[in-house]
Each structure stands twice: as structure tokens, then as C-alpha cells.
Amino acid sequence: MPEHQLNPNKWIDLYSDYLFNYTITRVSDRDMAQDLVQDTFLAGLKSMKNFKGEASERTWLISILKRKIIDHYRKINSNKGKAEVRITYNDDESEGDWLEERVADPFDKTAEDLMQNSELGDAIFDCLSKLPEKQAEVFRMKTIEGYETEDICKELNINASNLWVIIHRARTAMASCLEKNWF
Amino acid sequence: MSKKMKIMVPCDEAHHVCDKSQYKESSIWERMKLYMHLIFCKACRKYSKNNKKLSTTIHKAKVECLDKKCKEAMRLEFEKALKDQLK
């Protein structure tokens, strides 16, 4: 008896946001990311019989997604033909090969920041998926998608004070979860 | 009116205002009452601090998620594939 089982009916509800965020921090193109997530779900469906039940459903889907992302980069790379390698730099703006200019700019930490951000995004969705469904939905709509209170109330058919109670619970849970995993 | 003019508020209301402030939906009078409360309530100070931290963290992470329409489209296609699979 395997420890984990697949339940594809719930995949989209449970994992699409997590997978999408995972993808978008790595391919940075919304449409492309969406296609990759879609492909992942379909591929997962096709190879369901290969699932051994050792990992959790999400881990398994992520491992498929990783292959998809790698394939995506391979494809665009082969389109390019060959990679451009430049060792010396001598563009018009810089005066020459000054040693000072080659030192990494301490204020330019974007690569590291981005990496940390993508991990943080994963952590956030990880925590979000641990919340009860309703709380997660309201919190996501309010905080991440930035809907107005009224719109959420209308869509989910709840009143405003109800919404704030849900938000309050979700925020408390999120804070303690992130406290454990991130801060 | 008398209820509105109260300066001292209980903790649950302070929490509520604090939550609302995270989405910039609290009025200035509500915020004033919150700050008055925070002066003497240590638990709420802690809550308020954590709440702010959560907001800035999520803002900083720039998380994105699929909007409803995309998700619906995805679901449709997926369900079609699922049916084909079961045939």
C-alpha cells in the first residue's frame, strides 16, 4: 500500500497557484508559465501509473514541472543556434578595461535578491496550502490578487465582518507558519 | 455616536483595525484608537508587529497567481483530458 495517492480532480485547486508561482520566478513570462503548468498537469495525468507513492503529490508534480522548465530552456537555446560568449568587455560607455569596473557592484544584488524572492514565494504558497480552503481563498484574493473587499464579499457571498474574521484567522496562521519556515 | 467616540477599545477591535490597516482600509480615527490601544497592550503590539511583517514580506516576494479566467480554462482542458484518460 503506497503512502501517498493521486487525486487528479483536486490538482488544479490545490496546486495550480503553487506551481504557477514556482514557474514564474524561473521563466518570467506569464503565458509561458501558464502553458508549462498546464503541460505539467497533463503529463502528470498521463504518467499516473508511474507514481510510486513515495513522495507527496505536490513533490511529484514539482519534479515533472522542473523537467518541463529545463526542456523549455533547452528549446529556446537550440532556437538561438549558438550561445554568445564574450570574455572581454569593451563597450562604448566604459573607457576601457579598468579593474575597478570589473569588481561586482555591492549595491547590485539583484540576482541574489531574486533567488531569495523565489524561495520566499515558494514558502508563502507552501504556507497558504496549509490553510483551510476558504481562508486560503479569501487571503489569496485579498492579499495577493488585491481585490476590493466588496468584490470578494459579492463573489463568495459573505458579509464584510465575516470576511475580516476569515482574514484575521488566515493572517495569524500565515504569520506563524512563515515564522517557522522563513523568518 | 457615544460608541464611536470611545477612545479605549478592546483587543478584538484593535486586531480588526490592524488587519484593515494592512489593506489601507482603516479610517484615521480608527487608527488613532488602535495606537492608543497599542500604548498599553503588549499582546496587540506584538500582533501588530507580526501583521506588518507579514504584509511587507508578501509585498516583497511579489508573488503572483493565476487569475480566475486562466484557471477556469485550465480546468476545462484538464477535465477533458481526464475524461479521455478514463475511457
Side-chain angles (χ1 to χ4, degrees), chain A residues 13-172:
Chain A
D13 288 328
L14 289 175
Y15 309 121
S16 58
D17 283 324
Y18 184 83
L19 294 185
F20 182 71
N21 189 64
Y22 186 93
T23 324
I24 202 141
T25 51
R26 286 160 178 83
V27 296
S28 57
D29 172 2
R30 282 193 81 92
D31 293 335
M32 200 64 234
Q34 204 192 323
D35 286 348
L36 286 172
V37 172
Q38 175 82 286
D39 283 352
T40 305
F41 282 134
L42 295 179
L45 203 56
K46 261 185 207 141
S47 51
M48 263 173 74
K49 55 181 180 305
N50 299 334
F51 181 70
K52 292 192 206 78
E54 284 161 1
S56 73
E57 218 171 24
R58 199 182 69 192
T59 317
W60 184 68
L61 285 170
I62 282 282
S63 68
I64 298 175
L65 180 62
K66 273 184 193 157
R67 310 280 351 153
K68 293 274 171 210
I69 294 172
I70 293 170
D71 285 347
H72 161 71
Y73 275 112
R74 257 187 213 144
K75 212 160 64 190
I76 55 175
N77 245 338
S78 66
N79 286 346
K80 242 189 257 166
K82 52 188 177 224
E84 184 185 2
V85 181
R86 240 190 337 189
I87 296 170
T88 56
Y89 86 101
N90 263 326
D91 47 353
D92 299 333
E93 283 157 40
S94 56
E95 288 181 29
D97 264 337
W98 297 106
L99 204 57
E100 287 88 336
E101 286 178 14
R102 286 201 230 163
V103 176
D105 184 356
F107 299 108
D108 179 34
K109 294 185 294 188
T110 43
E112 199 174 317
D113 278 358
L114 273 178
M115 204 157 80
Q116 214 175 29
N117 261 350
S118 79
E119 280 167 15
L120 177 57
D122 295 348
I124 288 172
F125 276 101
D126 204 30
C127 287
L128 197 58
S129 64
K130 281 180 196 145
L131 293 186
E133 216 168 293
K134 185 99 181 180
Q135 283 179 28
E137 190 180 9
V138 173
F139 185 79
R140 202 190 60 228
M141 284 170 89
K142 186 91 185 121
T143 317
I144 300 173
E145 295 177 80
Y147 279 113
E148 293 297 321
T149 311
E150 255 175 68
D151 298 340
I152 301 176
C153 289
K154 243 183 251 161
E155 186 137 343
L156 301 177
N157 218 352
I158 50 179
N159 61 25
S161 58
N162 213 326
L163 174 125
W164 286 110
V165 171
I166 294 173
I167 288 276
H168 175 66
R169 290 191 186 139
R171 289 192 80 91
T172 319

Side-chain angles (χ1 to χ4, degrees), chain B residues 28-40:
Chain B
I28 188 152
W29 175 240
E30 281 177 322
R31 271 197 306 272
M32 224 176 76
K33 285 194 287 189
L34 170 66
Y35 292 133
M36 287 295 288
H37 183 90
L38 291 185
I39 291 171
F40 60 82

